[in-house]
Amino acid sequence: MRRILPLLSSNHAGGRSALTCRYRCGDACFHEVPNTSGNEYAGDIIAGTLSRRSMMRTAAVVTVASAAGGAALTQNAPSAQAAAVPAAGAARHGGHGGGKGTRGLRFAPVAPNTADTVTVPEGYTQNVVIRWGEPILRGAPAFDADRQTAEAQAGQFGYNNDFLSLLPLSEHGRQVLVANHEYTDEQLMFTGYDAADPTREQVEIGWAAHGLSVVVVQEERRSGKLTPVSRHWLNRRLTATSEFRLTGPAAGSDLLKTSADPSGTKVLGTLNNCAGGTTPWGTTLHGEENFNQYFANGSSATDKRYGLSTGATERKWERFDKRFDAAREPNESHRFGWVVELDPYDPDSTPRKRTALGRFKHEAAQPRLTRDGRPVVYMGDDERFDYFYKFVSSKRMKKGDGRAAREHNLTLLDEGTLYVAKLTGDSPEDVDGTGKLPNDGEFDGSGVWIPLATGDVSHVPGMTAEEVYVFTRLAGDKVGATKMDRPEDVEPSPRTGRVYVALTNNTDRGKAGKPGADEANPRNLNKHGQILELAEHWDDPSSDGFAWRLFLVAGDPEDPATYFAGYPKDRVSPISCPDNVAFDPYGNLWISTDGAQLGSHDGLFGVATAGERRGELKQFLTVPKGAETCGPIIQDRRVVVAVQHPGEVDGATVEKPASAWPDGPGRLVRPSVVAVYRKDGRDIGV
C-alpha cells in the first residue's frame, strides 16, 4: 500500500546538531551516563515505607491490569475491531472511522519537510509574536545585533524560548505570556565570538538572556494573531542575576549555604529553564534542567551524580563570577536543579525555588488536584536512565483571587511527600529489545510510588531528608526506581486525569554494561522515544499505585517497532523524539519534538487519546532549519509554539548563518514565539 504520509529520503540527516548539544546540555549524551547504580527492585525498602493499605491498593492495580489487560486504562480505548488495521480498499475509501476525523484534528497534515520556515496546514496562517531581543520593559532599547549590552538585554525578551504559558487578564483581548529562556548560544549571538576567550560583556549578556520573561500580549479580534504590549506594568524579566528564594524543607540547609549566602535561602538567578507548568491557582512552574554545565571544576565531592564539569565550562562564566567555580563554591550548584514558582500577576514578587519537589534535571512540573483540592505535581528527570517523580501536597488549595487565598496557595508546594516511580511490566518474558509487542498486544503493567521524604522525615535509609531533597537522584537509586528513557514533559489530561509522559529517546539502552529493554522502555538503542500513559489507582492522584501502558511508540510507522495506540499505522504521521506535550480543548494530546531522527525538521503533532480514533496522529507544523518545537499552547482559536535555536547547525555562526528565519537573508537568526491560526478565523481543527 502506498504511504499517505511519507517520510523524507534517508539522505537527509536527522537529529540534534553537535552545536545544540554543546550549548544546550554541555554534550550530556557524549559523557558517561550519570546513573551507574545497580538499583534492582528494593522490596525491603518499599515494604518498610508503604503502609499495608497502600500495598493492598497496589496489589489491586496489579490484579486489575493483569486480569483485564490494563482495565484501569481501557476507558474509551479502541475496540478490538476498531484497532485492527483496515484492508487496503477500506483505507482508500475514507479510512479508519469515516467522517472528517477527530474534532480538534480536522486539518490536512503537514508533510515531513526540511523547509527553512514554519510550515502550517493549508488554510492556516501565522505571525511571529515576539523575537529574542524585542524590548518589553520601560526604557529598554530596540534590538541592535551589533550593539548588544547586558543592560539592554535585561529589559528585552530573552534567548531560546522554551516553555510557554498564557494566562487570562481582565483587560479586554489581552493575556499574559510567560516564557522560559533555556540557554544561550553565543556563537549565534555575537559577531566574531571567540569561545576560548569570551569578553565580560558577552558573558553578562548571556546572564541577562537566560531566565524568564513575562509579557502581556494583545489578541486581534478577528483572527488568532497575537502581538506584544511593550512596557506593560506586568511585563518582567528575570535573569541569571535576579533574586530568587529557596523555600520548603531544605531551605537553610548547610548543603545550600555559600559564602555569599550564609542563610542558604537566597539565590541569584535561574538557569536552563526547560519545560514547566501552569497551576490552578494562577502561577507558573519552571524546571531548571541542565544546570550542571554552568559549573566548572567539579569533583566527586561536589557532583553527587549530576554531571558537573571537571574542568572549564563552555561559556567560561567561572572566570567572571566565582560562584560558577565548584572548587571555590562547592554548594552553589546545589541551588539549581529545582522547580521555580513565579507569580506573573505580581511583578514585585520574588520567585521561589521549591525544595520539597526535589533537585534533579527538571524538564517539567505539571500539577493537578486531588478530589479534596490538594495539588499533585508530576515531574520527569531528563537524563538517560533517570526517573519519574510526583509530589503530593499536604495542603488544600483555596479558591478565589483574594489576598488571603493567594498567599495561602503560594505555600502549597512547600509541604507534602515526594515520590519516585517503580514500574513493572506484565509480560516481561515477551520483551526482547526490538519493540515487538508482547503477546497480550500492549506494553503495559502496574507500578508503585515509592515515598522519598515527607517534610523533615526521610523514607530513604541512610539519607537525611535534606540529603533526599538536594541529592534526589541518589535517593531514587537507593529505593530501586525504574530507569527510564529520558522522561521529559509530563501532562495530566484535564478530561480523564490520565498522565502522559514523553520519553524522548535513549540510544544507550542495551549497550554493553547498560540496562537492557524492559516493558516500559521496550527498545534497545532507542532513538525515537515513546509516550507512556498512566492511570492512578481509583483515579486518585494521591494513590500509591497505578496502572500504565505505552500509548505511542514513536518512529517510522512502517517500522514494526512502532505503535500508535492500536490505530492503523498507514493513517498516521511519522514522529520521532517526543518532547513537550499539551492538551487542546477537546482532550487531544499535542506533542512537540526535539531532535527528530527521521530526516524531517522537528514539528508539532496532535493525537486523539479517546474514542474509535484513539491514536490518530497528525502533524500540524514543522519548524525551520536547526530548530526544535517547544512550549505548545493549544487554544480554541490559535496554536502557540516557541521556535527554539533556529539555525543551530554544525558550523553555523553569525557570519555564516544556516537559517534565514524569521526575518530573511542578511538578518540575525532569532529564536521567537509564533502563533498559528485559521485564515477564516474559525477554531483550530474543527
Side-chain angles (χ1 to χ4, degrees), residues 501-625:
V501 185
L503 300 162
T504 297
N505 56 40
N506 184 357
T507 55
D508 272 16
R509 187 169 289 278
K511 287 184 178 179
K514 304 292 194 304
D518 56 47
E519 198 157 350
N521 307 275
R523 291 181 292 189
N524 290 329
L525 309 178
N526 176 18
K527 63 181 181 179
H528 297 302
Q530 62 264 15
I531 290 182
L532 181 142
E533 182 182 49
L534 178 152
E536 300 274 21
H537 187 47
W538 296 335
D539 193 29
D540 177 5
S542 65
S543 171
D544 294 324
F546 58 88
W548 66 267
R549 65 183 171 198
L550 294 187
F551 171 67
L552 186 152
V553 181
D556 178 356
E558 289 190 339
D559 183 347
T562 57
Y563 177 75
F564 297 83
Y567 194 79
K569 294 200 292 183
D570 65 330
R571 291 299 190 201
V572 300
S573 296
I575 184 173
S576 177
C577 301
D579 187 349
N580 297 151
V581 289
F583 280 91
D584 68 16
Y586 308 101
N588 302 307
L589 183 70
W590 289 63
I591 308 162
S592 65
T593 64
D594 171 21
Q597 295 282 318
L598 293 172
S600 175
H601 286 176
D602 280 308
L604 179 67
F605 303 74
V607 59
T609 61
E612 65 174 6
R613 291 181 180 271
R614 174 178 157 90
E616 177 187 30
L617 180 134
K618 301 169 73 172
Q619 183 157 10
F620 183 76
L621 60 76
T622 54
V623 293
K625 186 175 182 180

Side-chain angles (χ1 to χ4, degrees), residues 275-335:
T278 304
T279 71
W281 52 94
T283 63
T284 51
L285 304 179
H286 308 268
E288 296 182 315
E289 192 185 14
N290 293 297
F291 63 90
N292 58 297
Q293 64 173 306
Y294 299 92
F295 296 92
N297 303 318
S299 65
S300 59
T302 56
D303 188 339
K304 305 291 187 184
R305 202 164 90 59
Y306 287 87
L308 267 63
S309 172
T310 56
T313 65
E314 175 64 47
R315 295 173 179 82
K316 312 295 189 293
W317 287 3
E318 64 274 14
R319 295 182 182 177
F320 304 95
D321 190 334
K322 71 174 185 178
R323 69 190 178 108
F324 296 108
D325 186 340
R328 301 171 71 187
E329 288 289 356
N331 282 354
E332 184 68 29
S333 66
H334 300 167
R335 293 142 67 86

Side-chain angles (χ1 to χ4, degrees), residues 660-678:
W661 191 86
D663 298 317
R667 307 290 293 277
L668 194 63
V669 182
R670 296 163 71 181
S672 305
V673 176
V674 173
V676 181
Y677 41 92
R678 287 176 60 147

Side-chain angles (χ1 to χ4, degrees), residues 254-273:
D254 288 344
L255 297 169
L256 299 175
K257 294 177 180 178
T258 65
S259 62
D261 174 33
S263 73
T265 61
K266 180 181 177 181
V267 181
L268 293 183
T270 183
L271 297 173
N272 213 260
N273 302 92

Side-chain angles (χ1 to χ4, degrees), residues 460-508:
V460 181
M463 295 183 75
T464 67
E466 289 179 357
E467 289 171 334
V468 169
Y469 296 120
V470 178
F471 306 124
T472 310
R473 283 182 167 180
L474 293 179
D477 295 345
K478 283 180 174 288
V479 301
T482 298
K483 298 179 178 181
M484 305 295 287
D485 287 351
R486 289 185 56 206
E488 295 218 24
D489 203 359
V490 184
E491 193 82 13
S493 168
R495 290 199 168 195
T496 67
R498 298 179 204 153
V499 179
Y500 293 80
V501 185
L503 300 162
T504 297
N505 56 40
N506 184 357
T507 55
D508 272 16

